[in-house]
Amino acid sequence: MKTWLSIISLFISLINNAQDNIVVVDNETKEGIAFVTVSFGNGNGTFADGDGVFKFSKVLYKNVDSLFISSIGYQELALSSSKITDTLFLKAKQNNLETVIINAQLTGKHKRKKKKELVHDNYHDCWLPTVESEIAVRFDRYENAPTQIKTLKLPILLEDTQRSKNRKQTRRFSTMFRVVFYDVSPDGKPVRESLWPSKTFIITQEAGDVYELDIEDLNINIPQEGIFASIQVLGYTTPKGELIKAKKYREFKSKYGTQKIATTYRPLLPFTDEIEGKKTYVRRIFLNNKQWTLFDFSYNPKSKLLRSGHENYGMGAEFKVFYKD
């Protein structure tokens, strides 16, 4: 009898686990949509993996009543958690169906130019990456000449620099990030996700103090008005490089009720005090209608980074600059 009860319990457990996996697909092609944003309407959320799959159940997310599913080029889907099914369909936005990107490959004589990345090893002057936040840095054409971004250079801090030589280095990790490109509004802010390709990449503890991301294959030609490159963390990955479908925040009980704190991921992102003025934009992906804002005290009046003058992320780049004969 105990054996049969164990088998039945295992069977029920497998069914429940299977029901936890939800896939988001294109309404027309029925193909999974990679790295869809899943907002819970309460400042928290998660991402689907490269196949459009994310994990959700009322056991895992007890206090979540609504889900908002979104991805670039698609209409947002809002639904009650009680009506969620194992397959969700997103419809393409009508205005994107007729959009054509003229993205001619720049050819001819060119020179390699660089925007120097800015790094440091002070743990206390770093941005702590969470899936709820995104950081954007603007790039302009070099001397107003046709310019292609060849490589992004991302300052990172692995934390082992804060340890003594007699102690072990920080434990192993594998974290997936995504770079996304945004158009520039007339007032100089990131205005909307451009139709330029995005790219996911993985940083591990083997990286140095600068992660070099080759994006030459994306053929990002900087428009006349400039372009923003943003980075956001998607979560930890398996050794095979697959995004782990896990909760992106922690919960704990206090006298004020259940508190939710976003999980922070490694590596850390060093902010610099070597750039004059505030030029880095940030946004909360699951809050404030995803609006971009300058990283200043209006974004976070208690920010230790701002108080110490570390107002910007020193993302660098290598360009191919094309000149006329």
Side-chain angles (χ1 to χ4, degrees), residues 146-198:
T147 303
Q148 182 184 89
I149 306 178
K150 181 181 183 298
T151 306
L152 290 176
K153 298 191 175 184
L154 311 176
I156 59 175
L157 181 62
L158 301 178
E159 294 182 81
D160 54 349
T161 56
Q162 303 300 311
R163 301 174 182 269
S164 68
K165 295 181 180 180
N166 297 325
R167 297 180 63 186
K168 294 181 179 180
Q169 292 184 352
T170 186
R171 66 184 184 276
R172 299 180 66 84
F173 67 90
S174 177
T175 307
M176 181 179 289
F177 287 82
R178 174 168 58 182
V179 59
V180 183
F181 296 92
Y182 292 86
D183 296 332
V184 179
S185 68
D187 57 355
K189 297 181 180 180
V191 61
R192 64 180 176 85
E193 290 185 22
S194 70
L195 296 180
W196 298 92
S198 61

Side-chain angles (χ1 to χ4, degrees), residues 71-88:
S71 181
I72 182 173
Y74 290 90
Q75 299 176 29
E76 184 177 76
L77 173 65
L79 71 163
S80 167
S81 59
S82 63
K83 296 183 179 180
I84 193 170
T85 59
D86 58 1
T87 303
L88 302 177

Side-chain angles (χ1 to χ4, degrees), residues 72-322:
I72 182 173
Y74 290 90
Q75 299 176 29
E76 184 177 76
L77 173 65
L79 71 163
S80 167
S81 59
S82 63
K83 296 183 179 180
I84 193 170
T85 59
D86 58 1
T87 303
L88 302 177
F89 300 89
L90 290 189
K91 296 180 180 179
K93 292 181 178 178
Q94 292 299 317
N95 60 345
N96 284 330
L97 293 177
E98 300 177 356
T99 299
V100 177
I101 301 179
I102 300 176
N103 191 17
Q105 176 70 44
L106 295 175
T107 59
K109 294 182 179 180
H110 65 272
K111 295 181 180 180
R112 297 287 180 90
K113 297 294 182 179
K114 295 181 179 180
K115 177 182 179 182
K116 178 66 176 176
E117 68 279 2
L118 299 172
V119 302
H120 64 69
D121 61 359
N122 189 338
Y123 173 91
H124 300 288
D125 294 328
C126 287
W127 181 276
L128 306 181
T130 67
V131 297
E132 67 168 351
S133 59
E134 189 174 0
I135 303 170
V137 174
R138 178 173 172 170
F139 292 101
D140 292 299
R141 288 184 171 185
Y142 191 90
E143 296 181 347
N144 205 34
T147 303
Q148 182 184 89
I149 306 178
K150 181 181 183 298
T151 306
L152 290 176
K153 298 191 175 184
L154 311 176
I156 59 175
L157 181 62
L158 301 178
E159 294 182 81
D160 54 349
T161 56
Q162 303 300 311
R163 301 174 182 269
S164 68
K165 295 181 180 180
N166 297 325
R167 297 180 63 186
K168 294 181 179 180
Q169 292 184 352
T170 186
R171 66 184 184 276
R172 299 180 66 84
F173 67 90
S174 177
T175 307
M176 181 179 289
F177 287 82
R178 174 168 58 182
V179 59
V180 183
F181 296 92
Y182 292 86
D183 296 332
V184 179
S185 68
D187 57 355
K189 297 181 180 180
V191 61
R192 64 180 176 85
E193 290 185 22
S194 70
L195 296 180
W196 298 92
S198 61
K199 189 170 188 175
T200 59
F201 55 98
I202 295 173
I203 301 179
T204 69
Q205 69 288 337
E206 276 81 22
D209 58 359
V210 177
Y211 182 86
E212 296 192 7
L213 178 63
D214 186 349
I215 60 169
E216 189 170 7
D217 60 310
L218 300 183
N219 195 23
I220 305 295
N221 304 326
I222 300 179
Q224 188 70 42
E225 64 275 11
I227 195 170
F228 277 96
S230 82
I231 58 171
Q232 59 183 140
V233 64
L234 300 180
Y236 287 132
T237 74
T238 67
K240 294 182 179 180
E242 299 168 341
L243 187 65
I244 296 174
K245 295 185 282 291
K247 226 173 184 180
K248 309 301 183 184
Y249 58 89
R250 296 179 289 108
E251 296 178 327
F252 67 94
K253 293 184 178 180
S254 71
K255 62 180 181 179
Y256 303 106
T258 301
Q259 304 294 310
K260 298 180 178 65
I261 298 180
T263 301
T264 58
Y265 293 85
R266 290 168 294 157
L268 309 182
L269 304 179
F271 269 41
T272 181
D273 59 358
E274 297 181 32
I275 297 176
E276 185 176 351
K278 299 177 177 64
K279 298 182 179 179
T280 296
Y281 284 82
V282 293
R283 71 168 182 161
R284 302 284 295 277
I285 297 172
F286 306 127
L287 279 179
N288 194 28
N289 198 28
K290 304 180 183 180
Q291 293 298 307
W292 285 99
T293 181
L294 198 63
F295 182 54
D296 58 16
F297 284 115
S298 65
Y299 173 79
N300 184 357
K302 298 181 180 180
S303 171
K304 293 182 180 180
L305 286 175
L306 291 170
R307 291 181 179 180
S308 65
H310 293 77
E311 304 167 329
N312 295 289
Y313 181 52
M315 187 189 303
E318 182 177 347
F319 309 107
K320 292 171 70 174
V321 183
F322 294 79

